[in-house]
Amino acid sequence: MSDLPGTEAEATGPATTEPVSLLLRHLHARPEGLTSVSAARRLRRYGRNELHRHRRARWVGELASQLVHPLALLLWAAALLSFLSRTPTLAWAIIGVILLNAFVAFVQERQAERAVEALRRYLPPRATVLRDGRRQAVDAAEVVPGDVLAIEEGDRICADARLVEGALEVDLSTLTGEAQPALREAGAEGRGRPLLELPDLLFSGTSCTGGEALAIVFATGMHTELGRIAALSQRVRREESPLERQVRRVAWLIAGVSVGAALAFIPIGLLGAGLSWRSALEFSVGLLVANVPEGLLPTITLALAVGVRLLGRRGALVKRLSAVETLGSTTVICTDKTGTLTENRMQAARIWTGGREFDVSGDGPLPSASAALAPFARAIARCSNAELVEGGPPRGDPTEVGLLRLAARLGEPVDRAVRERGRRRLFHFDPAIKLMSTADAIDGTLWLHTKGAPEAILRRTTQIAGEDGLRPLEGEERAAIERKVVDWASRGLRVLAVADRPLTGAELPDRAQAESALVFLGLVALLDPPRPEVPEAVARCRGAGIRVIMVTGDHGLTAGAIARAIGLVDGPPHVVTGEEVERLGEPELRRLLREARDLVFARSSPEVKLRIADALRADREVVAMTGDGVNDAPALKRAQVGVAMGRSGTDVAREAATLVLTDDDFATIAVAVEEGRRVYDNVRKFIVYIFAHTTPEVVPFLLFALSGGHLPLPLTVLLILAIDLGTETLPALALGREPAEPGLMRRPPRPVGESVIRGSMLLRAWLLLGSTSAALVLFAFFFVLLRAGWRGGVAVAPETYRQATTITFLAIVACQVGTAFAARTERAPLFAIGLATNPVLLAGIAFELAFAAALVYVPFLADLFGASPPPGEALLLLAPFPFVVWGVDELFRFGVRSRAARLLALPPT
């Protein structure tokens, strides 16, 4: 008989209501899961467990949007004026530019989007399934109908499924919008309820916030409830980043100024210069085209996409293009300790039990030196969800893995199957009370095993286990335990307490009742050494004016010791516990964050993280917040940059975050901040480069108008189009790949709300670089005219005029080369970054020169653009132009650096 069920459409109807036994028969599945061979056959039949998006309507809309942005509208106006002036060739040329520019921008945005989607594959969602009689982690896209999912707290559910064992708390907000988790339990009766309220159903796209369970998959991909919704609504719009919004506003400003100038100079041309209507309109077209920086928006999109791709290679997965620029303005990083600042390699170092302390460092077996060690080892083995895999890496929380290894060395069985057979109840770790407990049947007796923060265990403990049996846990002995916790924590060790108690009665008590009157079994100290690269990364962040605040659930002394070890604090750390934060009002918390230095938040709950993020944002800080657990999701969403752990983090945390660290390393955050700053700087560099060429393109038209037409027009509209589209674009794109400028991470963060285009940038582009270029360009133009014998007011021979406008075009290209090198740095000298450190720019300049030469010397192109080869001495005249433009800017930057040095050297007043 085939092991393939019918179609998923057929299975979905009865699958939600029929008994589980019938569902298993219908799916040709078993409670112990599929075989790998069967799963492979089903994958071929049903396809991958993915949602498919129809993009036809979307790409049409995206392409159309490129035709109506303000810079395109400006060119449409120029084309209309060209038709009115009866120059249809020019009009069609401008329309061709509009269409080509729109297509280039559209392609670049699509490539940028695909780059983000491709990078997401660095961290494919994983699912744990029962295959071949054992648990296996597989790509969620390979889950098929009939698979048995093993779901734990923090997992994202990847398919529609029925619970067959266990109970879960599930966040259904993806489908229902309700933030309150819903209880889902195997065997629960729910006939007559709406589909989403059935108590034993799980849905793709939702998240498990608590519990453990097994569930049989009955629908995948587009056949899930989420797939049905996706099929009904395929409207997914790309979010415009703040940077793009700023540039769009500037584009409207440019459009307004350009149109105003063009309209104003029409009467000047008609009345002052005595031009005809046709000539006046041609003049206005040239003025409009000269003011349009066509490549601005696509260049910004590409720069952001390149930044995302580079970050992905360095271990930081950015989920939105807009997050790159936000990273560059980060002012505060709130970071967890375990796994981010430390190696997350927990190894037991010390045990205190029965009044005795044992050194358990190392890897060898340990003798049973105390009668109290047996119940201690049993408790840490049972109260765990981790798994030691023979011949493979362990699975589960690193702390629990470290405790399981300790239990195995103490001679306690740690097999997961044995543990699960005896487990009757799981009270998962609650960050609010800092405890985890399990109820386990052992030799006919039900035992509660508990581990957690020492202070939380001690509050619930009435007895202590010793070599002579149980005795009351009273004052001096309780104080001795507390002193031991302080001693270990001050050495940077993570300290946990372990307890148990027998449970009586037929029914299991609720959590609060179960976790009371505990028997204290002992303490265990685990060592998690700081990552070796973290001190340097912390120093770089602090040098960049970024505050780094540790927010951890660990003991304050442990957190303080690690903070000192990595250079997070200069003096004694100011440790604030979660309980202290909860007692503070919002004004007091904001004052604490504003005024206190060397802050470390210990014993912090996710609610405390959320309050810290809110308080910092209220003070206009740009916050990056790390997290890895389910309950960290609100804080990750609230921070401007939520940073989730790729290895140890839960699916819920990764979904809530904007940045995922594939290596869980704090140093990668510093890299991401630097990359964000670099990208933002590069955006400003190519804005300076693009705007600098507006002046030499506009000044010839103004000179022509102000002379009343007595001076020939030095540049034609077609040659302007050749400059803006042919010679300017590739160097501008290459500036987006500039390496970081020296001192980038020694500057303070960018002020919140600062525009990407500053007044100083426009002055540098238009007045310094632009005016220098305009002077050189006009000098070359008049050199050719005067050499040919032209005198003011005399008509120019057609061939001489073509040579003169061609030399103007070539002079602008030569000045572009100098501007490209000048724009590579904002303050630093060019030799500080090196002449050849951006090979893409060198290639872009080579293409620019080749294109300019082809336009002049290839007959077809020369006829199309109205170009003619200028005299040889005029071409030699152009050779120093790039050095003059670069040299003038280099002197200007030297003056800026000197002035800044003098200001820093001034004594305080």
Side-chain angles (χ1 to χ4, degrees), residues 123-175:
L123 282 173
R126 305 289 286 175
T128 301
V129 298
L130 302 187
R131 294 257 179 99
D132 301 320
R134 59 187 177 88
R135 291 178 182 240
Q136 298 184 34
V138 300
D139 189 334
E142 296 177 359
V143 170
V144 295
D147 260 326
V148 176
L149 294 175
I151 304 164
E152 298 178 349
E153 175 186 353
D155 289 348
R156 187 176 51 175
I157 297 161
C158 63
D160 287 2
R162 282 274 299 278
L163 285 171
V164 295
E165 180 183 314
L168 302 173
E169 288 182 348
V170 182
D171 178 2
L172 294 171
S173 57
T174 309
L175 298 176

Side-chain angles (χ1 to χ4, degrees), residues 415-462:
D415 184 70
R416 183 184 181 113
V418 173
R419 184 172 66 222
E420 290 185 345
R421 276 198 301 270
R423 182 171 292 179
R424 297 295 178 266
R425 186 74 179 272
L426 167 68
F427 298 111
H428 59 81
F429 178 76
D430 187 333
I433 61 175
K434 301 178 178 64
L435 293 177
M436 172 187 172
S437 299
T438 60
D440 304 290
I442 302 174
D443 297 331
T445 303
L446 194 60
W447 287 87
L448 183 83
H449 298 114
T450 303
K451 70 174 189 290
E455 63 271 22
I457 294 283
L458 286 172
R459 278 198 300 268
R460 295 164 172 81
T461 300
T462 57

Side-chain angles (χ1 to χ4, degrees), residues 414-703:
V414 293
D415 184 70
R416 183 184 181 113
V418 173
R419 184 172 66 222
E420 290 185 345
R421 276 198 301 270
R423 182 171 292 179
R424 297 295 178 266
R425 186 74 179 272
L426 167 68
F427 298 111
H428 59 81
F429 178 76
D430 187 333
I433 61 175
K434 301 178 178 64
L435 293 177
M436 172 187 172
S437 299
T438 60
D440 304 290
I442 302 174
D443 297 331
T445 303
L446 194 60
W447 287 87
L448 183 83
H449 298 114
T450 303
K451 70 174 189 290
E455 63 271 22
I457 294 283
L458 286 172
R459 278 198 300 268
R460 295 164 172 81
T461 300
T462 57
Q463 294 178 293
I464 183 171
E467 296 199 6
D468 300 328
L470 303 183
R471 62 180 182 273
L473 180 58
E474 296 175 339
E476 179 54 34
E477 196 164 22
R478 189 179 290 266
I481 294 172
E482 292 171 348
R483 287 194 297 271
K484 182 57 64 177
V485 171
V486 170
D487 175 39
W488 284 352
S490 64
R491 290 189 252 165
L493 298 172
R494 184 177 187 187
V495 187
L496 294 176
V498 182
D500 70 3
R501 62 166 287 204
L503 296 173
T504 58
E507 292 188 5
L508 289 172
D510 62 24
R511 179 164 196 166
Q513 187 179 355
E515 293 174 337
S516 62
L518 298 174
V519 176
F520 189 86
L521 297 178
L523 300 172
V524 57
L526 298 106
L527 176 64
D528 184 15
R531 291 177 180 265
E533 66 275 13
V534 164
E536 181 185 352
V538 169
R540 290 179 66 215
C541 288
R542 298 183 73 186
I546 301 170
R547 288 182 69 191
V548 182
I549 301 173
M550 184 189 295
V551 186
T552 179
D554 269 355
H555 193 284
L557 291 172
T558 305
I562 296 295
R564 287 192 298 272
I566 63 174
L568 195 65
V569 296
D570 296 321
H574 184 169
V575 179
V576 182
T577 66
E579 290 183 357
E580 292 170 337
V581 172
E582 288 170 359
R583 290 196 294 268
L584 293 176
E586 298 307 319
E588 290 83 3
L589 179 58
R590 289 174 61 183
R591 191 179 307 114
L592 173 70
L593 289 163
R594 196 164 45 238
E595 298 175 359
R597 299 290 97 183
D598 297 336
L599 265 177
V600 172
F601 290 94
R603 293 301 189 216
S604 300
S605 65
E607 290 75 19
V608 167
K609 275 190 173 183
L610 186 59
R611 287 194 63 198
I612 291 171
D614 281 337
L616 289 169
R617 289 197 63 165
D619 275 348
R620 294 181 60 77
E621 302 281 4
V622 179
V623 184
M625 176 75 74
T626 72
D628 56 9
V630 173
N631 291 327
D632 288 330
L636 294 177
K637 287 182 177 179
R638 193 67 54 89
Q640 286 95 332
V641 181
V643 183
M645 303 300 109
R647 292 180 180 173
S648 61
T650 61
D651 287 339
V652 177
R654 289 195 288 263
E655 283 295 305
T658 49
L659 179 73
V660 179
L661 304 183
T662 59
D663 53 8
D664 290 11
D665 191 349
F666 176 85
T668 306
I669 303 177
V671 168
V673 170
E674 181 179 13
E675 185 64 22
R677 290 186 174 193
R678 186 190 71 83
V679 168
Y680 203 86
D681 273 10
N682 287 350
V683 169
R684 285 178 160 168
K685 288 172 185 176
F686 61 64
I687 285 176
V688 168
Y689 171 79
I690 289 173
F691 279 28
H693 306 137
T694 303
T695 305
E697 291 177 6
V698 170
V699 165
F701 285 90
L702 298 181
L703 193 65

Side-chain angles (χ1 to χ4, degrees), residues 744-762:
L744 180 68
M745 288 297 279
R746 293 193 296 273
R747 300 194 320 230
R750 188 174 72 249
V752 177
E754 180 184 79
S755 174
V756 65
I757 301 179
R758 296 182 304 213
S760 60
M761 292 169 55
L762 297 179

Side-chain angles (χ1 to χ4, degrees), residues 44 207 213 252 334 353 380 412 431 461 549 577 638 779 787 802 832 836 862 906:
R44 286 193 297 271
S207 305
W252 279 113
C334 295
T353 181
I380 61 175
E412 181 70 21
T461 300
I549 301 173
T577 66
R638 193 67 54 89
F779 174 71
R787 178 185 173 281
R802 284 165 64 100
L906 288 175

Side-chain angles (χ1 to χ4, degrees), residues 51-52 54 222 225-235:
L51 299 183
H52 306 292
H54 304 292
M222 294 302 290
E225 184 67 11
L226 188 65
R228 184 187 67 83
I229 295 171
L232 293 175
S233 175
Q234 292 288 350
R235 305 185 198 101

Side-chain angles (χ1 to χ4, degrees), residues 764-783:
R764 181 186 175 199
W766 287 338
L767 294 185
L768 182 69
L769 293 167
S771 296
T772 302
S773 299
L776 293 172
V777 165
L778 291 175
F779 174 71
F781 174 71
F782 286 115
F783 175 83

